[in-house]
Amino acid sequence: MAQRLSRVRSWGSRVFAVECDVTTGPVYFSVAATPQGSGGDVRPLGQLFGHGKVFSLHVHGDDRVRAAKFHGDVKSRLSALPRGHVMEMSSFLPNQKRSLVKGFLMRVPADSSAADDALLELLREDAVHACSYATSGDRWWQQLLARSEEGLVVAERFCVAPAPAPEHHPSTLNIVNSDVFYSFRDAQQVLIECSNIIPESKAVLELVNKPSDPTVKGKFPVIVIEGLDATGKTTLTDSLKGAMGAVLLKSPPQVLAPFRQLFDAEPPLIRRAFYALGNYITARQIARESEKAPVIVDRFWHSTAAYAIATAVSGKVGNLPGLGSEVYQWPGDLLKPSLVLLLSVSPEERLRRLSGRGLEKTVEEAELEANHLFRQKVEEAYMRIQNPACEVVDASPSPDQVLQQVLLLIKSKCHL
Ligand SMILES: Nc1ncnc2c1ncn2[C@@H]1O[C@H](COP(=O)(O)OP(=O)(O)O)[C@@H](O)[C@H]1O
Ligand SMILES: Nc1ccn([C@@H]2O[C@H](COP(=O)(O)OP(=O)(O)O)[C@@H](O)[C@H]2O)c(=O)n1
């Protein structure tokens, strides 16, 4: 218990953000050992904590791979609780990079004992911090929980006060090297750390470890085609290949196909490092092929970064890191294409194309709204990536019109 208490003292200066509703944004509060002066407006906190029983959980830990895996595990265990409502919650130090610790706020009916049992089980892990929330007088308290022979006990309590929103959404604090990687070494390091628990990491590392100089392209142009799925990338890249006598490559490359499903099911840290490494394999193929012919690439680093940023940043488009942020910078050691084109179609046309392929027919309304926000964030992140930035192409006309438009663009931009 002593160990748990000493670790928790640092929470005195932390701020918590609870993402209750993605469209209205998070509620912020801070905690302190003693009641703070003017308490501020505690009504939003009452709405958060005032119904049923409320618990929060965070997973700490020096081993980032283990912490990431355990975080996913906690989420699925909490989501399985009957009559529970789970919200994303994070703890952070304002403006301090890498200070974010992800967690959850869970609300269950007052008569539920399943949540107490689940917490007791989860608290066997030293990395878990669990708290309950209680009111006395006109104050709210965050109560740090510990295991004891009688069950859950309160080890320490902190006074809760509303906190102002930070300048940047807290999820942006940890993007660098957790969601997006800016060098081969940083992405490789994650898979090295995974090798013991995911044996396939070793095979992936062997595929990327071949020595070469991947930053240098050949004398022919290298054109990357980007866009959300069903915007027409496959259709366009196939016809560009024929029309230009080009070599068609993609990221992730074919050699990683057998591993993709496995890494897609891993937490963001591991999944994103896998895709980042895929770009370096594709870069090597681009360097080789562009000596001999023009190269068309179906997705590359813009996709890796834009999807990772859009997933990491919860809520609205406005929560994305601002234009010019370091997160949108191209990795210094990755081959730069001659031109990046972003295919864009209206959401309605995209849905038509998706349903033509027989996908997404059963998506529920609520999910559609969340997906809408997600797609907006991916497109916005695509457009904020710099050096090279992408050129937006209206991909709603017929396949042949899109091809002609793109051929003209390539001719003028690549001086063909
Ligand atoms: N310009 C276009 N106009 C109408 N339909 C298109 C066009 N381009 C592609 N499609 C259709 O939309 C669907 C998705 O296209 P696809 O090339 O597979 O997209 P992506 O590779 O970006 O996921 C396919 O059924 C394809 O035939
Ligand atoms: N270069 C790439 C390509 C895909 N990806 C990831 O792969 C997903 C898109 O893959 P997909 O199979 O839907 O792509 P398409 O089939 O639509 O081209 C996104 O979630 C990205 O996170 C990536 O990170 N980097």
Side-chain angles (χ1 to χ4, degrees):
M1 172 116 56
Q3 189 193 1
R4 199 176 284 286
L5 288 183
S6 63
R7 193 184 302 150
V8 158
R9 280 207 186 100
S10 65
W11 282 32
S13 57
R14 285 197 156 247
V15 177
F16 294 81
V18 187
E19 204 79 50
C20 321
D21 174 354
V22 286
T23 49
T24 58
V27 173
Y28 296 97
F29 63 88
S30 59
V31 296
T34 50
Q36 291 150 337
S38 62
D41 183 4
V42 295
R43 275 172 304 177
L45 302 182
Q47 280 162 21
L48 260 186
F49 305 136
H51 308 280
K53 288 196 281 191
V54 177
F55 298 102
S56 62
L57 277 105
H58 286 88
V59 181
H60 290 237
D62 297 333
D63 182 340
R64 58 179 175 165
V65 167
R66 242 179 84 84
K69 296 276 275 183
F70 195 52
H71 180 265
D73 191 25
V74 169
K75 184 173 189 173
S76 48
R77 285 205 238 171
L78 295 184
S79 305
L81 286 174
R83 299 183 294 152
H85 178 52
V86 180
M87 291 169 262
E88 300 282 334
M89 179 188 199
S90 48
S91 151
F92 65 100
L93 300 169
N95 296 324
Q96 194 160 318
K97 286 195 182 139
R98 308 210 54 72
S99 67
L100 186 87
V101 179
K102 287 185 187 167
F104 306 98
L105 190 80
M106 177 186 49
R107 193 155 40 206
V108 287
D111 61 356
S112 163
S113 62
D116 298 52
D117 296 342
L119 288 183
L120 265 176
E121 195 50 39
L122 285 164
L123 279 169
R124 285 180 188 279
E125 285 280 343
D126 227 21
V128 173
H129 278 165
C131 297
S132 61
Y133 294 82
T135 180
S136 69
D138 58 353
R139 299 205 175 272
W140 280 97
W141 295 87
Q142 183 190 64
Q143 307 182 131
L144 177 73
L145 301 174
R147 279 175 66 89
S148 81
E149 280 172 10
E150 297 91 58
L152 289 175
V153 290
V154 174
E156 198 170 355
R157 61 179 208 160
F158 300 93
C159 184
V160 175
E167 201 182 327
H168 301 292
H169 192 269
S171 54
T172 61
L173 294 170
N174 281 33
I175 287 179
V176 175
N177 278 343
S178 295
D179 299 287
V180 188
F181 299 89
Y182 298 86
S183 76
F184 173 77
R185 293 257 166 263
D186 287 334
Q188 183 194 37
Q189 184 56 35
V190 176
L191 262 73
I192 292 173
E193 289 170 34
C194 289
S195 301
N196 288 339
I197 47 171
I198 308 171
E200 289 80 357
S201 306
K202 292 192 189 117
V204 173
L205 286 168
E206 272 169 31
L207 286 169
V208 290
N209 255 338
K210 305 215 177 89
S212 71
D213 182 3
T215 58
V216 184
K217 68 176 184 58
K219 55 182 183 291
F220 287 92
V222 174
I223 293 116
V224 172
I225 307 296
E226 293 282 8
L228 293 167
D229 61 337
T231 49
K233 295 182 299 299
T234 310
T235 308
L236 175 67
T237 51
D238 272 348
S239 21
L240 279 175
K241 179 184 169 187
M244 294 177 67
V247 175
L248 176 55
L249 298 172
K250 59 186 294 177
S251 173
Q254 209 48 45
V255 285
L256 290 189
F259 305 102
R260 195 167 174 190
Q261 205 181 352
L262 179 120
F263 281 92
D264 269 344
E266 292 296 339
L269 173 74
I270 302 168
R271 177 169 185 228
R272 301 304 175 192
F274 168 79
Y275 279 106
L277 290 176
N279 289 326
Y280 289 91
I281 299 183
T282 300
R284 214 164 51 211
Q285 298 170 339
I286 297 173
R288 199 169 49 234
E289 298 300 334
S290 61
E291 289 290 349
K292 300 175 257 173
V295 176
I296 305 297
V297 192
D298 183 346
R299 291 194 188 270
F300 198 45
W301 195 77
H302 272 75
S303 276
T304 312
Y307 279 82
I309 293 167
T311 313
V313 177
S314 51
K316 302 175 283 187
V317 180
N319 294 344
L320 288 173
L323 190 69
S325 156
E326 58 177 352
V327 307
Y328 303 118
Q329 288 305 312
W330 192 267
D333 61 354
L334 184 65
L335 182 146
K336 276 190 192 175
S338 325
L339 186 62
V340 183
L341 300 178
L342 174 65
L343 303 190
S344 179
V345 296
S346 67
E348 297 76 30
E349 173 62 13
R350 216 188 123 258
L351 274 183
R352 236 188 328 270
R353 292 184 190 181
L354 273 173
S355 61
R357 285 201 309 206
L359 295 174
E360 278 205 10
K361 278 186 180 152
T362 57
V363 183
E364 291 170 18
E365 278 303 306
E367 246 183 78
L368 269 178
E369 174 63 20
N371 282 342
H372 178 61
L373 277 173
F374 175 68
R375 284 194 292 268
Q376 277 184 323
K377 283 185 287 185
V378 176
E379 284 216 312
E380 190 55 40
Y382 265 133
M383 289 190 281
R384 290 188 187 179
I385 293 171
Q386 295 300 314
N387 197 19
C390 54
E391 300 261 343
V392 181
V393 171
D394 176 7
S396 17
S398 72
D400 191 54
Q401 282 172 303
V402 176
L403 172 67
Q404 296 311 326
Q405 185 191 341
V406 166
L407 282 171
L408 277 178
L409 201 56
I410 294 174
K411 214 169 178 177
S412 71
K413 298 279 175 181
C414 299
H415 313 294
L416 292 178

